[in-house]
Amino acid sequence: MKSPRHCEGTVETKGTENTLETDASVDCGDPDPFQWDTREDCQVRQILDRVADKWSLLVIALLDRRCLRFTELRREIDGISQRMLTVTLRQLERDGLVKRTVHPVVPPRVEYELTPLGGTLHHTIRALVTWTEEHQNEVAAARSAYDARVAAQESADA
């Protein structure tokens, strides 16, 4: 038997809308565990939004089995601003995926590392990266074919 998804917030029940307590869990509908609710207040969607963010993926990948300082992370992640890295690290720390350690020295030294929970997520990310590497040529070919069809259609419409 498939287990139902649980979300917090507002849910429709038999045509009526019920507001739930913040900590209450409620069945979100379709019990398929491989789907997620499209409502913004669904915990599954919120977690997926966080861990599927490009900056979060890069931070988690870089912290695999090592501690890094903020400046090391920023140097390794091309294109990330100081503010975006700060926000990303805070969100990952809040979600229990990254541990922040402040060493009592002058100036303070701050290091980041994956928590055990973050380590389990890294395994999933590694599988995604492997899939991407294995299929990048197929995706590139599909994109080229699509772009050619769109260009041909636009030419025909003009």
Side-chain angles (χ1 to χ4, degrees), residues 7 11 14 32 81 83 96 104 107 119 139 148:
C7 299
V11 64
K14 296 182 183 175
D32 186 351
S81 68
R83 181 186 181 287
V139 171

Side-chain angles (χ1 to χ4, degrees), residues 51-103:
V51 300
D53 169 79
K54 71 177 179 178
W55 302 126
S56 296
L57 288 171
L58 290 169
V59 167
I60 292 165
L62 285 170
L63 292 177
D64 181 39
R65 289 182 246 130
R66 61 183 171 161
C67 294
L68 290 174
R69 294 175 68 178
F70 183 92
T71 53
E72 294 170 319
L73 283 166
R74 186 157 180 225
R75 192 174 336 139
E76 291 288 327
I77 302 174
D78 189 39
I80 194 167
S81 68
Q82 181 172 336
R83 181 186 181 287
M84 184 52 67
L85 181 55
T86 299
V87 168
T88 300
L89 287 167
R90 282 184 185 156
Q91 291 172 337
L92 292 172
E93 182 182 9
R94 180 175 183 252
D95 290 342
L97 302 172
V98 168
K99 178 184 172 191
R100 178 179 186 261
T101 304
V102 179
H103 298 279

Side-chain angles (χ1 to χ4, degrees), residues 67 79 107 117 127 138 142 151:
C67 294
L117 180 61
E138 294 168 74

